[in-house]
Amino acid sequence: MSASEAASRPVDLRGRTAIVTGAGAGLGQTEALRLAAQGAAVVVNDLGAGAETTAQLITEAGGRALAVPGDISRWALGDELVSAAVDTFGALDIVVNNAGVIRDTMIFNLTEQDWDLVLDVHLKGHASLSRAAAVYFRAKSKAEGGPVYGRIINTTSEAGLMGAAGQPNYSAAKAGITALTLSTAQGLARYGVQVNAIAPRARTGMTEHVFAADSAGGRLDILSPERVARLVAFLASPASAGISGQLFIAYGDFVALLEPAQAEQVFTADDDLFTEEELARKLGGYFAERDPYATFAAYGLAKLDTTGVQALGG
């Protein structure tokens, strides 16, 4: 497909149905509203009254929405959300896994409860809905005898690429979501389903303690969730055909496509099997006087940030 052919594909989502988790407020709500504005019917999931609030905003604007409150870490809710989409709107086309929670702490203060909660909401929540959607897409593809329209958009984080000292649980969950995205993309490719991940920065209730205020007036906040929602709407649309298994960083005025990790150096044993002494000589020598920040952590991604908005305390 040429660039001109890709550009000619429609971005509108009329006739499509989406599920958005964590859509009661913040980034998820903005994503749900944007998908609805592009024509999609939206199943809105979150805890408490937030789901109803977002669904009401969509319907008041002339769109179609259904609120399905519930805890996405409950495995069965994935099936319930898919059933709600199909029973109410006739189909499922788009999944936006967004729900999340934070319990920040250093590793030496990490409790089992805070580990389980963050992993359950983020990683298990992504997995439960992705699995349920995959079952639906696979069955539909088999029934129709060919590829179907399907989009899954997962929400990871730069914390999963760099590791955040005060977020061992969150960082692990987000790294897992990236791996889940790659596996799901491979597993569903034969059915026509595209699966991608975004690592967004957005000023929301969950991140209000993280970012300083945007000092530049006269424009949309540089960390507004609306900036990320545009990418989500694009990835959900026919215009994104052929894009799958990718990871994008999105905030401010840019979207960055990340490339895979590469081997920096290969060490080979002189005589088939390494001895500890040879490893000490070759690896130890290679790392002598190495910059302590030159690790597997993707610290270089910080150079992307030209927003001028500093992390509080950073």
Side-chain angles (χ1 to χ4, degrees), residues 128-142:
S128 68
L129 181 53
S130 294
R131 183 211 63 85
V135 170
Y136 170 81
F137 289 137
R138 179 172 177 263
K140 185 177 181 181
S141 176
K142 288 188 174 184

Side-chain angles (χ1 to χ4, degrees), residues 189-206:
R190 71 184 69 180
Y191 307 115
V193 180
Q194 298 176 190
V195 188
N196 294 288
I198 62 169
R201 290 190 190 182
R203 194 187 310 281
T204 67
M206 195 172 82

Side-chain angles (χ1 to χ4, degrees), residues 216-293:
R219 69 173 183 196
L220 181 68
D221 183 349
I222 198 67
L223 291 177
S224 168
E226 181 65 28
R227 296 178 181 274
V228 178
R230 304 297 177 93
L231 174 61
V232 170
F234 162 72
L235 291 174
S237 77
S240 69
I243 302 175
S244 191
Q246 305 296 339
L247 172 56
F248 300 93
I249 292 177
Y251 62 91
D253 60 357
F254 76 91
V255 172
L257 171 64
L258 299 195
E259 63 182 5
Q262 302 294 325
E264 176 185 334
Q265 184 72 23
V266 177
F267 304 91
T268 305
D270 291 338
D271 189 24
D272 181 56
L273 179 65
F274 272 116
T275 64
E276 291 83 353
E277 290 77 14
E278 186 183 4
L279 288 168
R281 175 169 51 85
K282 291 187 174 180
L283 272 72
Y286 185 82
F287 282 92
E289 300 181 6
R290 184 181 178 92
D291 182 343
Y293 287 99

Side-chain angles (χ1 to χ4, degrees), residues 15-19 40-44 58-59 63-68 81-93:
R16 305 294 183 188
T17 300
I19 299 171
V42 184
V43 175
V44 181
I58 292 172
T59 56
R64 297 182 298 158
L66 172 69
V68 182
L81 290 170
V82 172
S83 294
V86 176
D87 293 346
T88 305
F89 301 116
L92 172 64
D93 305 287

Side-chain angles (χ1 to χ4, degrees), residues 174-184:
K174 290 305 190 181
I177 287 169
T178 298
L180 174 66
T181 300
L182 299 178
S183 177
T184 307

